[in-house]
Amino acid sequence: MPVKTQYLDATSDGIAAAAVILRAGGLVGFPTETVYGLGADARNDHAVARIFEAKGRPHFNPLIVHVPDLATAQTYAVFNDQALALAAAFWPGPLTLVLPLRGDAGLSPLVTAGLETVAIRIPAHATARALLQALGGPLAAPSANPSGRISPTRADHVLTGLAGRIEAVVDGGPCSVGVESTIVGLDGPPQLLRPGGIPQEALEAALGAPLAIGGDANKPNAPGQLASHYAPNARVRLNVTIPHADEVWVGYGPDCPAAALTLSATGDLVQAAAALFHMLRRADDLAGQGAIAFAPIPETGLGRAINDRLRRAAAPRP
Ligand code: TXA
Ligand code: MG
């Protein structure tokens, strides 16, 4: 469904209008000092699902949660001394910390891709900060480009890639850093997960210790890792049109009236993506010693990301 993308100035009126759109579950491109982000309210499953739809992302990889200050960050993630040291040295700024997710965080599980960690950052850009204040909540935001394309550093780049797919873009001028934030994993020994706006040497100086070079942050879901992290206890069968007696059937679309649960009774892929992680948990609770059977999901648009996730949930366990 194409939407008309509003172009908003980075004035207090423009920012207020952007916050209204975000509160209503809309998508807004906004400037940060690194690149433009594609923002959605990180607590709103449906809004976060639409990020993946708008970008055409084939996988639900985890997103960075942007917050205005450390106190807010601490309501979502657990900070150890090393995390506090890096936050004090580099926030606000182009640094993202991957930290243990708090149980009471209240973020959409789509933001963390069902992981028990969350990537969090306090941006320095005045417009991003004003938008976070106006929203009064956490903004999930990947770079505001179609999947696999170049990250945008100007509002017109965002429009070129995403006009008609997002509600608005706020024009805060060109980004000063121009590369994405550095990502440091601190859920174990400090690891550099993605090089970016803060150099490794500066991080090591602040930590007083060398950083291990971690895996590719673009692939935290390297085979097995994410799957085993989020696999339900019950076995999972896919593309099921006739479930077995001991299976909890999770339907999709109007052809599964007998299903115990449904990802979307109307066959709406955005609704299905928004419901996916919740339904995996509920089906797991209901399944007991039995199994879970998912109805077929079309392999188009967001359906590709849903099916990717389901194949991981159904994969043989390590
Ligand atoms: O500069 C930036 O970081 C920009 C601006 C908009 O803030 N955002 C950005 O987001 O680059 P994105 O979605 O393009 O990259 C997020 C990266 C991905 O590589 C993702 O795998 C990683 O963060 N990530 C997010 N949560 C993670 C987690 N819990 N564990 C490991 N990696 C994570
Ligand atoms: Mg990106």
Side-chain angles (χ1 to χ4, degrees), residues 43-178:
R43 300 160 297 194
N44 181 329
D45 293 318
H46 193 263
V48 176
R50 284 194 55 219
I51 289 181
F52 292 96
E53 183 192 48
K55 284 182 65 91
R57 267 200 185 174
H59 307 290
F60 294 126
N61 41 341
L63 305 176
I64 296 172
V65 176
H66 299 69
V67 296
D69 51 48
L70 182 60
T72 307
Q74 287 178 306
T75 64
Y76 301 120
V78 181
F79 283 68
N80 62 17
D81 287 346
Q82 290 175 316
L84 290 172
L86 292 184
F90 301 108
W91 277 355
L95 175 68
T96 296
L97 299 178
V98 174
L99 300 169
L101 176 68
R102 282 182 58 140
D104 58 354
L107 299 173
S108 165
L110 268 184
V111 169
T112 52
L115 295 166
E116 281 152 25
T117 53
V118 60
I120 200 154
R121 122 169 157 91
I122 302 178
H125 195 290
T127 304
R129 300 182 63 70
L131 184 58
L132 287 167
Q133 293 297 345
L135 175 65
L139 262 183
S143 51
N145 51 285
S147 184
R149 308 291 273 282
I150 300 165
S151 294
T153 52
R154 291 172 19 177
D156 61 285
H157 298 165
V158 178
L159 288 173
T160 302
L162 297 174
R165 298 172 156 260
I166 66 178
E167 274 69 22
V169 62
V170 182
D171 188 352
C175 301
S176 58
V177 177

Side-chain angles (χ1 to χ4, degrees), residues 232-238 240 246-250 279-280 283-285 287 290-294:
N233 293 314
R235 278 173 298 109
V236 177
R237 217 157 58 87
L238 306 182
V240 174
D246 69 340
E247 284 178 330
V248 175
W249 195 25
V250 184
M279 286 302 163
L280 267 169
D284 206 19
D285 289 342
I292 305 169
F294 278 88

